[in-house]
Amino acid sequence: VLIASRDVDKCNMAAKEMNQYVQQICSGHDGTVGKVVVGPSTSIRDEDQVNNLVEYIIETYKALHLLVNNAGGQFVCSAEELSSKGFQAVVNTNLTGTFHVCRAAFEHYMRDNGGSIVNITLGNRNGMPNMCHSGAARAGIENMSITLSQEWMESDVRVNCVRPG
């Protein structure tokens, strides 16, 4: 498992914690245990950085079978107080960033080799007061996931959206 974000230090701490946990729960098994590693600093808002990350993964590990998108950012703000810049920042991170990562995984590996993509969002069917920017982006992720699953099924790429709540 490779994790990446803009903040490599946070990823290193998370990887350390996850690896310790995996070691604890897998002690006593045959010794075959996975490992969490950290990729290069990547902003999913930046398409070039996303492409570089996916190229790094394929070059280093020779495959990209599963992609889990769970990056996101938002803040509480009523629609009447929300600036266009604030709205766009959340949409760029949550929706456009998820698109960048999905498309890069598809173009660089999954189109020819198949794979699975899981986009994680949250339930928002009844609206999200004070979070219209986040709700709009997350609804877009749900629809995009359905659309990509239909478009990419011929390449044996499954795209699912998990939306707790």
Side-chain angles (χ1 to χ4, degrees):
V1 174
L2 182 138
I3 59 175
S5 80
R6 291 176 297 167
D7 191 331
V8 173
D9 291 336
K10 284 184 182 177
C11 283
N12 282 321
M13 289 188 314
K16 181 179 177 180
E17 287 179 30
M18 287 185 274
N19 285 324
Q20 288 172 345
Y21 178 73
V22 167
Q23 291 297 323
Q24 287 175 342
I25 64 171
C26 292
S27 65
H29 290 279
D30 66 1
T32 307
V33 181
K35 184 176 182 181
V36 177
V37 296
V38 177
S41 173
T42 304
S43 170
I44 62 172
R45 289 184 181 188
D46 186 317
E47 193 170 12
D48 290 335
Q49 287 185 28
V50 170
N51 282 315
N52 290 339
L53 172 65
V54 171
E55 289 169 1
Y56 168 84
I57 292 167
I58 295 165
E59 185 177 302
T60 305
Y61 301 101
K62 310 301 182 217
L64 176 55
H65 302 293
L66 172 65
L67 167 66
V68 178
N69 282 309
N70 69 334
Q74 56 274 323
F75 51 92
V76 176
C77 185
S78 68
E80 69 182 296
E81 298 290 324
L82 183 61
S83 70
S84 179
K85 183 178 178 181
F87 186 93
Q88 194 63 46
V90 171
V91 170
N92 280 342
T93 298
N94 294 0
L95 178 58
T96 307
T98 298
F99 172 72
H100 287 159
V101 182
C102 288
R103 187 172 63 187
F106 181 77
E107 288 181 349
H108 292 286
Y109 188 81
M110 291 184 180
R111 176 191 342 234
D112 298 325
N113 301 286
S116 296
I117 298 172
V118 178
N119 295 321
I120 300 176
T121 184
L122 59 88
N124 61 354
R125 296 222 188 271
N126 295 319
M128 296 177 70
N130 297 312
M131 299 282 279
C132 80
H133 51 322
S134 184
R138 292 169 190 279
I141 291 169
E142 286 186 45
N143 186 280
M144 179 179 67
S145 298
I146 294 166
T147 302
L148 295 179
S149 72
Q150 294 170 355
E151 289 185 14
W152 295 347
M153 74 169 82
E154 295 296 321
S155 293
D156 199 26
V157 176
R158 289 179 309 184
V159 183
N160 294 293
C161 187
V162 176
R163 53 178 298 277

Short mmCIF file of all heavy atoms in Angstrom, two decimals, residues 82-152:
data_model
loop_
_atom_site.label_atom_id
_atom_site.label_comp_id
_atom_site.label_asym_id
_atom_site.label_seq_id
_atom_site.Cartn_x
_atom_site.Cartn_y
_atom_site.Cartn_z
N LEU A 82 -20.35 32.10 1.54
CA LEU A 82 -19.32 31.39 0.80
C LEU A 82 -18.88 32.16 -0.43
O LEU A 82 -19.70 32.54 -1.27
CB LEU A 82 -19.86 30.01 0.39
CG LEU A 82 -18.92 29.06 -0.35
CD1 LEU A 82 -17.71 28.71 0.50
CD2 LEU A 82 -19.69 27.80 -0.73
N SER A 83 -17.59 32.39 -0.54
CA SER A 83 -17.07 33.08 -1.73
C SER A 83 -16.94 32.09 -2.88
O SER A 83 -16.85 30.87 -2.68
CB SER A 83 -15.71 33.70 -1.43
OG SER A 83 -14.73 32.69 -1.27
N SER A 84 -16.89 32.63 -4.07
CA SER A 84 -16.67 31.79 -5.25
C SER A 84 -15.32 31.07 -5.14
O SER A 84 -15.19 29.90 -5.50
CB SER A 84 -16.72 32.65 -6.51
OG SER A 84 -16.48 31.87 -7.66
N LYS A 85 -14.33 31.79 -4.61
CA LYS A 85 -13.00 31.20 -4.45
C LYS A 85 -13.04 30.02 -3.48
O LYS A 85 -12.42 28.99 -3.72
CB LYS A 85 -12.02 32.27 -3.96
CG LYS A 85 -10.59 31.79 -3.82
CD LYS A 85 -9.68 32.92 -3.36
CE LYS A 85 -8.26 32.42 -3.18
NZ LYS A 85 -7.36 33.48 -2.71
N GLY A 86 -13.76 30.16 -2.38
CA GLY A 86 -13.89 29.07 -1.41
C GLY A 86 -14.62 27.88 -2.00
O GLY A 86 -14.23 26.73 -1.79
N PHE A 87 -15.69 28.15 -2.73
CA PHE A 87 -16.45 27.08 -3.39
C PHE A 87 -15.54 26.33 -4.36
O PHE A 87 -15.47 25.10 -4.35
CB PHE A 87 -17.65 27.67 -4.13
CG PHE A 87 -18.57 26.64 -4.72
CD1 PHE A 87 -19.67 26.18 -4.01
CD2 PHE A 87 -18.35 26.13 -5.99
CE1 PHE A 87 -20.53 25.23 -4.55
CE2 PHE A 87 -19.20 25.18 -6.54
CZ PHE A 87 -20.29 24.73 -5.81
N GLN A 88 -14.84 27.09 -5.20
CA GLN A 88 -13.97 26.48 -6.21
C GLN A 88 -12.83 25.69 -5.59
O GLN A 88 -12.45 24.64 -6.10
CB GLN A 88 -13.43 27.56 -7.15
CG GLN A 88 -12.81 27.00 -8.40
CD GLN A 88 -13.82 26.25 -9.26
OE1 GLN A 88 -14.93 26.70 -9.50
NE2 GLN A 88 -13.43 25.08 -9.72
N ALA A 89 -12.28 26.16 -4.49
CA ALA A 89 -11.18 25.45 -3.84
C ALA A 89 -11.61 24.06 -3.39
O ALA A 89 -10.88 23.08 -3.57
CB ALA A 89 -10.66 26.25 -2.64
N VAL A 90 -12.81 23.95 -2.83
CA VAL A 90 -13.31 22.65 -2.37
C VAL A 90 -13.63 21.76 -3.56
O VAL A 90 -13.28 20.57 -3.58
CB VAL A 90 -14.52 22.83 -1.43
CG1 VAL A 90 -15.18 21.50 -1.13
CG2 VAL A 90 -14.07 23.50 -0.14
N VAL A 91 -14.27 22.30 -4.58
CA VAL A 91 -14.58 21.50 -5.77
C VAL A 91 -13.29 21.04 -6.45
O VAL A 91 -13.19 19.89 -6.89
CB VAL A 91 -15.49 22.30 -6.74
CG1 VAL A 91 -15.60 21.59 -8.09
CG2 VAL A 91 -16.86 22.50 -6.12
N ASN A 92 -12.29 21.92 -6.52
CA ASN A 92 -11.02 21.53 -7.14
C ASN A 92 -10.33 20.39 -6.39
O ASN A 92 -9.74 19.51 -7.00
CB ASN A 92 -10.07 22.72 -7.26
CG ASN A 92 -10.40 23.61 -8.43
OD1 ASN A 92 -11.10 23.20 -9.36
ND2 ASN A 92 -9.92 24.83 -8.40
N THR A 93 -10.38 20.43 -5.08
CA THR A 93 -9.75 19.37 -4.30
C THR A 93 -10.58 18.08 -4.36
O THR A 93 -10.09 17.03 -4.74
CB THR A 93 -9.58 19.79 -2.83
OG1 THR A 93 -8.72 20.93 -2.78
CG2 THR A 93 -8.97 18.67 -2.01
N ASN A 94 -11.84 18.18 -3.99
CA ASN A 94 -12.65 16.97 -3.82
C ASN A 94 -13.06 16.33 -5.14
O ASN A 94 -12.93 15.12 -5.30
CB ASN A 94 -13.90 17.28 -2.99
CG ASN A 94 -13.57 17.66 -1.56
OD1 ASN A 94 -12.43 17.70 -1.15
ND2 ASN A 94 -14.59 17.96 -0.79
N LEU A 95 -13.55 17.10 -6.07
CA LEU A 95 -14.06 16.54 -7.32
C LEU A 95 -13.00 16.50 -8.41
O LEU A 95 -12.70 15.42 -8.94
CB LEU A 95 -15.28 17.35 -7.80
CG LEU A 95 -15.90 16.92 -9.13
CD1 LEU A 95 -16.34 15.46 -9.10
CD2 LEU A 95 -17.08 17.84 -9.47
N THR A 96 -12.41 17.63 -8.72
CA THR A 96 -11.42 17.65 -9.80
C THR A 96 -10.19 16.82 -9.43
O THR A 96 -9.65 16.10 -10.27
CB THR A 96 -11.02 19.10 -10.13
OG1 THR A 96 -12.21 19.86 -10.38
CG2 THR A 96 -10.11 19.16 -11.35
N GLY A 97 -9.76 16.89 -8.17
CA GLY A 97 -8.62 16.08 -7.74
C GLY A 97 -8.89 14.60 -7.87
O GLY A 97 -8.03 13.83 -8.32
N THR A 98 -10.10 14.17 -7.49
CA THR A 98 -10.46 12.76 -7.64
C THR A 98 -10.44 12.37 -9.11
O THR A 98 -9.95 11.29 -9.47
CB THR A 98 -11.85 12.50 -7.01
OG1 THR A 98 -11.78 12.80 -5.61
CG2 THR A 98 -12.29 11.06 -7.19
N PHE A 99 -10.95 13.23 -9.96
CA PHE A 99 -10.91 12.97 -11.40
C PHE A 99 -9.47 12.83 -11.90
O PHE A 99 -9.14 11.90 -12.65
CB PHE A 99 -11.63 14.07 -12.18
CG PHE A 99 -11.46 13.96 -13.66
CD1 PHE A 99 -12.11 12.95 -14.37
CD2 PHE A 99 -10.65 14.85 -14.35
CE1 PHE A 99 -11.94 12.83 -15.75
CE2 PHE A 99 -10.49 14.74 -15.72
CZ PHE A 99 -11.13 13.73 -16.43
N HIS A 100 -8.59 13.74 -11.49
CA HIS A 100 -7.18 13.67 -11.91
C HIS A 100 -6.57 12.31 -11.58
O HIS A 100 -5.88 11.71 -12.41
CB HIS A 100 -6.34 14.75 -11.22
CG HIS A 100 -6.57 16.13 -11.72
ND1 HIS A 100 -6.24 17.23 -10.97
CD2 HIS A 100 -7.09 16.62 -12.86
CE1 HIS A 100 -6.54 18.33 -11.63
NE2 HIS A 100 -7.06 17.98 -12.79
N VAL A 101 -6.81 11.84 -10.36
CA VAL A 101 -6.19 10.59 -9.92
C VAL A 101 -6.80 9.39 -10.66
O VAL A 101 -6.08 8.50 -11.11
CB VAL A 101 -6.28 10.42 -8.39
CG1 VAL A 101 -5.60 9.14 -7.95
CG2 VAL A 101 -5.64 11.62 -7.68
N CYS A 102 -8.13 9.38 -10.80
CA CYS A 102 -8.77 8.30 -11.55
C CYS A 102 -8.24 8.23 -12.98
O CYS A 102 -7.88 7.16 -13.48
CB CYS A 102 -10.29 8.50 -11.60
SG CYS A 102 -11.17 8.21 -10.07
N ARG A 103 -8.23 9.37 -13.65
CA ARG A 103 -7.81 9.38 -15.05
C ARG A 103 -6.34 8.99 -15.20
O ARG A 103 -5.98 8.23 -16.10
CB ARG A 103 -8.07 10.74 -15.69
CG ARG A 103 -7.78 10.67 -17.20
CD ARG A 103 -8.18 11.89 -17.93
NE ARG A 103 -7.40 13.03 -17.45
CZ ARG A 103 -7.63 14.27 -17.81
NH1 ARG A 103 -8.62 14.56 -18.62
NH2 ARG A 103 -6.88 15.25 -17.34
N ALA A 104 -5.49 9.46 -14.31
CA ALA A 104 -4.07 9.10 -14.40
C ALA A 104 -3.88 7.60 -14.20
O ALA A 104 -3.11 6.96 -14.94
CB ALA A 104 -3.25 9.88 -13.36
N ALA A 105 -4.58 7.01 -13.24
CA ALA A 105 -4.48 5.56 -13.02
C ALA A 105 -4.95 4.81 -14.25
O ALA A 105 -4.33 3.82 -14.67
CB ALA A 105 -5.30 5.15 -11.79
N PHE A 106 -6.04 5.27 -14.84
CA PHE A 106 -6.56 4.61 -16.04
C PHE A 106 -5.59 4.75 -17.21
O PHE A 106 -5.24 3.75 -17.85
CB PHE A 106 -7.92 5.21 -16.42
CG PHE A 106 -8.54 4.57 -17.63
CD1 PHE A 106 -9.14 3.33 -17.54
CD2 PHE A 106 -8.51 5.22 -18.86
CE1 PHE A 106 -9.70 2.72 -18.66
CE2 PHE A 106 -9.07 4.63 -19.98
CZ PHE A 106 -9.67 3.38 -19.88
N GLU A 107 -5.16 5.95 -17.49
CA GLU A 107 -4.30 6.19 -18.66
C GLU A 107 -2.95 5.50 -18.55
O GLU A 107 -2.43 4.98 -19.54
CB GLU A 107 -4.10 7.69 -18.87
CG GLU A 107 -5.35 8.38 -19.39
CD GLU A 107 -5.15 9.86 -19.62
OE1 GLU A 107 -4.11 10.42 -19.20
OE2 GLU A 107 -6.06 10.47 -20.20
N HIS A 108 -2.36 5.50 -17.35
CA HIS A 108 -1.00 4.99 -17.21
C HIS A 108 -0.95 3.49 -16.96
O HIS A 108 0.11 2.88 -17.15
CB HIS A 108 -0.26 5.72 -16.08
CG HIS A 108 0.03 7.15 -16.40
ND1 HIS A 108 1.00 7.54 -17.29
CD2 HIS A 108 -0.55 8.29 -15.94
CE1 HIS A 108 1.02 8.86 -17.36
NE2 HIS A 108 0.09 9.34 -16.56
N TYR A 109 -2.05 2.88 -16.50
CA TYR A 109 -1.97 1.45 -16.18
C TYR A 109 -3.26 0.68 -16.42
O TYR A 109 -3.27 -0.35 -17.10
CB TYR A 109 -1.53 1.25 -14.73
CG TYR A 109 -1.25 -0.19 -14.41
CD1 TYR A 109 -0.04 -0.78 -14.76
CD2 TYR A 109 -2.22 -0.98 -13.79
CE1 TYR A 109 0.20 -2.12 -14.49
CE2 TYR A 109 -1.99 -2.32 -13.53
CZ TYR A 109 -0.77 -2.88 -13.88
OH TYR A 109 -0.54 -4.22 -13.63
N MET A 110 -4.35 1.13 -15.88
CA MET A 110 -5.56 0.31 -15.84
C MET A 110 -6.23 0.10 -17.18
O MET A 110 -6.90 -0.91 -17.38
CB MET A 110 -6.54 0.89 -14.82
CG MET A 110 -6.06 0.76 -13.39
SD MET A 110 -7.30 1.35 -12.22
CE MET A 110 -6.45 1.05 -10.67
N ARG A 111 -6.08 1.02 -18.12
CA ARG A 111 -6.69 0.83 -19.44
C ARG A 111 -6.24 -0.50 -20.06
O ARG A 111 -7.05 -1.21 -20.65
CB ARG A 111 -6.33 1.98 -20.37
CG ARG A 111 -6.87 1.77 -21.78
CD ARG A 111 -6.30 2.75 -22.81
NE ARG A 111 -5.71 3.91 -22.24
CZ ARG A 111 -6.03 5.17 -22.56
NH1 ARG A 111 -6.94 5.40 -23.47
NH2 ARG A 111 -5.43 6.18 -21.99
N ASP A 112 -4.98 -0.83 -19.89
CA ASP A 112 -4.43 -2.05 -20.50
C ASP A 112 -4.40 -3.24 -19.56
O ASP A 112 -4.22 -4.37 -20.01
CB ASP A 112 -3.00 -1.78 -21.00
CG ASP A 112 -2.97 -0.72 -22.08
OD1 ASP A 112 -3.92 -0.66 -22.90
OD2 ASP A 112 -2.01 0.07 -22.10
N ASN A 113 -4.55 -3.02 -18.25
CA ASN A 113 -4.36 -4.10 -17.28
C ASN A 113 -5.55 -4.32 -16.35
O ASN A 113 -5.51 -5.22 -15.52
CB ASN A 113 -3.13 -3.80 -16.42
CG ASN A 113 -1.88 -3.66 -17.26
OD1 ASN A 113 -1.35 -4.65 -17.73
ND2 ASN A 113 -1.43 -2.44 -17.49
N GLY A 114 -6.57 -3.48 -16.45
CA GLY A 114 -7.70 -3.59 -15.54
C GLY A 114 -7.32 -3.08 -14.16
O GLY A 114 -6.19 -2.66 -13.90
N GLY A 115 -8.28 -3.14 -13.26
CA GLY A 115 -8.03 -2.70 -11.90
C GLY A 115 -9.31 -2.26 -11.23
O GLY A 115 -10.40 -2.38 -11.79
N SER A 116 -9.17 -1.76 -10.03
CA SER A 116 -10.31 -1.30 -9.24
C SER A 116 -10.03 0.08 -8.67
O SER A 116 -8.93 0.35 -8.19
CB SER A 116 -10.59 -2.26 -8.08
OG SER A 116 -10.96 -3.53 -8.57
N ILE A 117 -11.05 0.91 -8.73
CA ILE A 117 -10.98 2.26 -8.16
C ILE A 117 -12.12 2.39 -7.16
O ILE A 117 -13.27 2.06 -7.48
CB ILE A 117 -11.11 3.34 -9.24
CG1 ILE A 117 -9.95 3.23 -10.24
CG2 ILE A 117 -11.17 4.74 -8.61
CD1 ILE A 117 -10.08 4.15 -11.46
N VAL A 118 -11.79 2.85 -5.95
CA VAL A 118 -12.79 3.10 -4.93
C VAL A 118 -12.70 4.57 -4.54
O VAL A 118 -11.65 5.02 -4.06
CB VAL A 118 -12.58 2.21 -3.68
CG1 VAL A 118 -13.62 2.53 -2.62
CG2 VAL A 118 -12.61 0.73 -4.06
N ASN A 119 -13.77 5.29 -4.78
CA ASN A 119 -13.85 6.70 -4.41
C ASN A 119 -14.67 6.81 -3.13
O ASN A 119 -15.81 6.36 -3.09
CB ASN A 119 -14.49 7.52 -5.53
CG ASN A 119 -13.64 7.54 -6.77
OD1 ASN A 119 -12.42 7.63 -6.70
ND2 ASN A 119 -14.26 7.45 -7.93
N ILE A 120 -14.07 7.38 -2.10
CA ILE A 120 -14.75 7.50 -0.82
C ILE A 120 -15.28 8.92 -0.67
O ILE A 120 -14.55 9.90 -0.87
CB ILE A 120 -13.80 7.14 0.34
CG1 ILE A 120 -13.33 5.69 0.17
CG2 ILE A 120 -14.50 7.34 1.69
CD1 ILE A 120 -12.31 5.24 1.18
N THR A 121 -16.54 9.01 -0.34
CA THR A 121 -17.18 10.30 -0.10
C THR A 121 -18.07 10.16 1.12
O THR A 121 -17.78 9.33 1.98
CB THR A 121 -17.94 10.77 -1.38
OG1 THR A 121 -18.48 12.05 -1.17
CG2 THR A 121 -19.00 9.81 -1.80
N LEU A 122 -19.11 10.91 1.25
CA LEU A 122 -20.04 10.71 2.37
C LEU A 122 -21.45 10.96 1.90
O LEU A 122 -21.69 11.63 0.90
CB LEU A 122 -19.68 11.59 3.57
CG LEU A 122 -19.65 13.09 3.37
CD1 LEU A 122 -21.01 13.70 3.60
CD2 LEU A 122 -18.67 13.69 4.36
N GLY A 123 -22.39 10.38 2.62
CA GLY A 123 -23.79 10.51 2.24
C GLY A 123 -24.26 11.95 2.34
O GLY A 123 -24.04 12.61 3.35
N ASN A 124 -24.89 12.43 1.29
CA ASN A 124 -25.36 13.82 1.29
C ASN A 124 -26.68 13.96 0.55
O ASN A 124 -27.00 15.02 0.05
CB ASN A 124 -24.30 14.73 0.68
CG ASN A 124 -23.99 14.40 -0.76
OD1 ASN A 124 -24.48 13.41 -1.30
ND2 ASN A 124 -23.18 15.21 -1.40
N ARG A 125 -27.45 12.91 0.49
CA ARG A 125 -28.69 12.93 -0.30
C ARG A 125 -29.72 13.92 0.25
O ARG A 125 -30.60 14.36 -0.47
CB ARG A 125 -29.30 11.54 -0.36
CG ARG A 125 -28.43 10.56 -1.10
CD ARG A 125 -29.26 9.68 -2.01
NE ARG A 125 -28.45 8.61 -2.57
CZ ARG A 125 -27.77 8.71 -3.69
NH1 ARG A 125 -27.77 9.82 -4.36
NH2 ARG A 125 -27.08 7.69 -4.15
N ASN A 126 -29.64 14.26 1.51
CA ASN A 126 -30.60 15.19 2.11
C ASN A 126 -30.01 16.58 2.29
O ASN A 126 -30.48 17.36 3.12
CB ASN A 126 -31.09 14.64 3.45
CG ASN A 126 -31.88 13.37 3.26
OD1 ASN A 126 -32.67 13.26 2.33
ND2 ASN A 126 -31.65 12.38 4.10
N GLY A 127 -28.98 16.88 1.54
CA GLY A 127 -28.34 18.19 1.65
C GLY A 127 -27.32 18.22 2.77
O GLY A 127 -27.23 17.30 3.59
N MET A 128 -26.52 19.27 2.77
CA MET A 128 -25.47 19.45 3.78
C MET A 128 -25.47 20.92 4.18
O MET A 128 -24.67 21.70 3.65
CB MET A 128 -24.10 19.02 3.23
CG MET A 128 -23.99 17.56 2.89
SD MET A 128 -22.38 17.13 2.18
CE MET A 128 -21.32 17.32 3.60
N PRO A 129 -26.33 21.33 5.08
CA PRO A 129 -26.36 22.73 5.48
C PRO A 129 -24.98 23.23 5.90
O PRO A 129 -24.23 22.52 6.57
CB PRO A 129 -27.34 22.75 6.66
CG PRO A 129 -28.23 21.57 6.42
CD PRO A 129 -27.33 20.53 5.79
N ASN A 130 -24.64 24.41 5.45
CA ASN A 130 -23.35 25.05 5.71
C ASN A 130 -22.18 24.34 5.04
O ASN A 130 -21.03 24.56 5.40
CB ASN A 130 -23.10 25.22 7.21
CG ASN A 130 -24.12 26.12 7.86
OD1 ASN A 130 -24.38 27.21 7.35
ND2 ASN A 130 -24.70 25.67 8.94
N MET A 131 -22.50 23.49 4.08
CA MET A 131 -21.46 22.76 3.36
C MET A 131 -21.87 22.56 1.90
O MET A 131 -21.60 21.51 1.31
CB MET A 131 -21.24 21.38 4.00
CG MET A 131 -20.80 21.41 5.44
SD MET A 131 -19.07 21.80 5.62
CE MET A 131 -18.36 20.21 5.31
N CYS A 132 -22.52 23.54 1.28
CA CYS A 132 -23.01 23.33 -0.09
C CYS A 132 -21.86 23.07 -1.05
O CYS A 132 -22.01 22.31 -2.00
CB CYS A 132 -23.88 24.48 -0.55
SG CYS A 132 -23.03 25.95 -1.11
N HIS A 133 -20.71 23.65 -0.81
CA HIS A 133 -19.54 23.43 -1.65
C HIS A 133 -19.08 21.98 -1.58
O HIS A 133 -18.81 21.34 -2.60
CB HIS A 133 -18.41 24.38 -1.26
CG HIS A 133 -18.07 24.39 0.20
ND1 HIS A 133 -19.00 24.29 1.22
CD2 HIS A 133 -16.88 24.50 0.83
CE1 HIS A 133 -18.41 24.34 2.39
NE2 HIS A 133 -17.10 24.47 2.18
N SER A 134 -19.04 21.42 -0.39
CA SER A 134 -18.63 20.04 -0.21
C SER A 134 -19.69 19.08 -0.73
O SER A 134 -19.38 18.08 -1.38
CB SER A 134 -18.35 19.77 1.27
OG SER A 134 -17.87 18.46 1.46
N GLY A 135 -20.96 19.38 -0.46
CA GLY A 135 -22.04 18.54 -0.95
C GLY A 135 -22.07 18.47 -2.47
O GLY A 135 -22.29 17.40 -3.05
N ALA A 136 -21.85 19.60 -3.12
CA ALA A 136 -21.85 19.63 -4.58
C ALA A 136 -20.70 18.78 -5.13
O ALA A 136 -20.88 18.00 -6.07
CB ALA A 136 -21.73 21.07 -5.07
N ALA A 137 -19.52 18.92 -4.54
CA ALA A 137 -18.37 18.15 -5.00
C ALA A 137 -18.59 16.66 -4.79
O ALA A 137 -18.29 15.83 -5.65
CB ALA A 137 -17.10 18.62 -4.29
N ARG A 138 -19.13 16.30 -3.65
CA ARG A 138 -19.33 14.88 -3.32
C ARG A 138 -20.42 14.25 -4.19
O ARG A 138 -20.31 13.09 -4.58
CB ARG A 138 -19.61 14.73 -1.84
CG ARG A 138 -18.37 15.08 -1.02
CD ARG A 138 -18.67 15.21 0.46
NE ARG A 138 -17.56 15.76 1.18
CZ ARG A 138 -16.49 15.06 1.58
NH1 ARG A 138 -16.40 13.79 1.30
NH2 ARG A 138 -15.53 15.65 2.26
N ALA A 139 -21.46 15.00 -4.50
CA ALA A 139 -22.47 14.50 -5.43
C ALA A 139 -21.84 14.28 -6.81
O ALA A 139 -22.15 13.30 -7.50
CB ALA A 139 -23.64 15.47 -5.52
N GLY A 140 -20.94 15.17 -7.18
CA GLY A 140 -20.22 15.02 -8.45
C GLY A 140 -19.36 13.77 -8.46
O GLY A 140 -19.26 13.07 -9.48
N ILE A 141 -18.72 13.45 -7.33
CA ILE A 141 -17.90 12.24 -7.24
C ILE A 141 -18.76 11.00 -7.42
O ILE A 141 -18.38 10.06 -8.12
CB ILE A 141 -17.13 12.20 -5.90
CG1 ILE A 141 -16.06 13.28 -5.87
CG2 ILE A 141 -16.51 10.82 -5.68
CD1 ILE A 141 -15.43 13.51 -4.50
N GLU A 142 -19.94 10.99 -6.81
CA GLU A 142 -20.84 9.85 -6.96
C GLU A 142 -21.21 9.65 -8.43
O GLU A 142 -21.12 8.54 -8.96
CB GLU A 142 -22.10 10.02 -6.13
CG GLU A 142 -21.87 9.84 -4.65
CD GLU A 142 -23.17 9.87 -3.87
OE1 GLU A 142 -24.14 9.23 -4.31
OE2 GLU A 142 -23.19 10.54 -2.82
N ASN A 143 -21.63 10.71 -9.09
CA ASN A 143 -22.02 10.61 -10.49
C ASN A 143 -20.82 10.24 -11.37
O ASN A 143 -20.94 9.40 -12.27
CB ASN A 143 -22.66 11.91 -10.96
CG ASN A 143 -23.20 11.76 -12.36
OD1 ASN A 143 -22.44 11.83 -13.33
ND2 ASN A 143 -24.50 11.54 -12.47
N MET A 144 -19.67 10.85 -11.11
CA MET A 144 -18.48 10.54 -11.88
C MET A 144 -18.11 9.07 -11.73
O MET A 144 -17.73 8.42 -12.71
CB MET A 144 -17.31 11.43 -11.43
CG MET A 144 -16.02 11.15 -12.18
SD MET A 144 -14.67 12.23 -11.66
CE MET A 144 -14.41 11.68 -9.98
N SER A 145 -18.24 8.53 -10.53
CA SER A 145 -17.91 7.12 -10.31
C SER A 145 -18.80 6.21 -11.14
O SER A 145 -18.31 5.24 -11.75
CB SER A 145 -18.05 6.77 -8.83
OG SER A 145 -17.14 7.53 -8.05
N ILE A 146 -20.09 6.51 -11.20
CA ILE A 146 -21.02 5.72 -12.01
C ILE A 146 -20.64 5.82 -13.48
O ILE A 146 -20.59 4.82 -14.21
CB ILE A 146 -22.47 6.19 -11.77
CG1 ILE A 146 -22.89 5.90 -10.33
CG2 ILE A 146 -23.43 5.54 -12.77
CD1 ILE A 146 -24.16 6.63 -9.90
N THR A 147 -20.37 7.03 -13.93
CA THR A 147 -20.02 7.26 -15.32
C THR A 147 -18.73 6.55 -15.71
O THR A 147 -18.66 5.86 -16.74
CB THR A 147 -19.91 8.77 -15.60
OG1 THR A 147 -21.15 9.39 -15.28
CG2 THR A 147 -19.55 9.05 -17.05
N LEU A 148 -17.69 6.68 -14.87
CA LEU A 148 -16.43 6.03 -15.17
C LEU A 148 -16.57 4.51 -15.18
O LEU A 148 -15.94 3.83 -16.00
CB LEU A 148 -15.34 6.46 -14.19
CG LEU A 148 -14.94 7.94 -14.23
CD1 LEU A 148 -13.88 8.21 -13.16
CD2 LEU A 148 -14.46 8.35 -15.60
N SER A 149 -17.39 3.99 -14.28
CA SER A 149 -17.57 2.53 -14.26
C SER A 149 -18.17 2.05 -15.57
O SER A 149 -17.81 0.98 -16.08
CB SER A 149 -18.43 2.09 -13.07
OG SER A 149 -19.78 2.46 -13.25
N GLN A 150 -19.05 2.83 -16.16
CA GLN A 150 -19.65 2.46 -17.44
C GLN A 150 -18.66 2.64 -18.59
O GLN A 150 -18.56 1.79 -19.47
CB GLN A 150 -20.91 3.30 -17.68
CG GLN A 150 -22.01 2.98 -16.69
CD GLN A 150 -23.16 3.95 -16.75
OE1 GLN A 150 -23.12 4.95 -17.48
NE2 GLN A 150 -24.19 3.68 -15.97
N GLU A 151 -17.93 3.73 -18.58
CA GLU A 151 -16.99 4.01 -19.67
C GLU A 151 -15.80 3.05 -19.67
O GLU A 151 -15.28 2.72 -20.73
CB GLU A 151 -16.49 5.45 -19.58
CG GLU A 151 -17.53 6.48 -19.93
CD GLU A 151 -16.97 7.89 -19.96
OE1 GLU A 151 -15.73 8.08 -19.98
OE2 GLU A 151 -17.80 8.83 -19.97
N TRP A 152 -15.35 2.64 -18.48
CA TRP A 152 -14.11 1.87 -18.39
C TRP A 152 -14.33 0.37 -18.18
O TRP A 152 -13.38 -0.38 -18.03
CB TRP A 152 -13.23 2.44 -17.28
CG TRP A 152 -12.75 3.84 -17.58
CD1 TRP A 152 -12.81 4.50 -18.78
CD2 TRP A 152 -12.14 4.74 -16.66
NE1 TRP A 152 -12.27 5.75 -18.66
CE2 TRP A 152 -11.84 5.94 -17.37
CE3 TRP A 152 -11.80 4.66 -15.31
CZ2 TRP A 152 -11.23 7.03 -16.78
CZ3 TRP A 152 -11.19 5.76 -14.72
CH2 TRP A 152 -10.90 6.92 -15.45
#
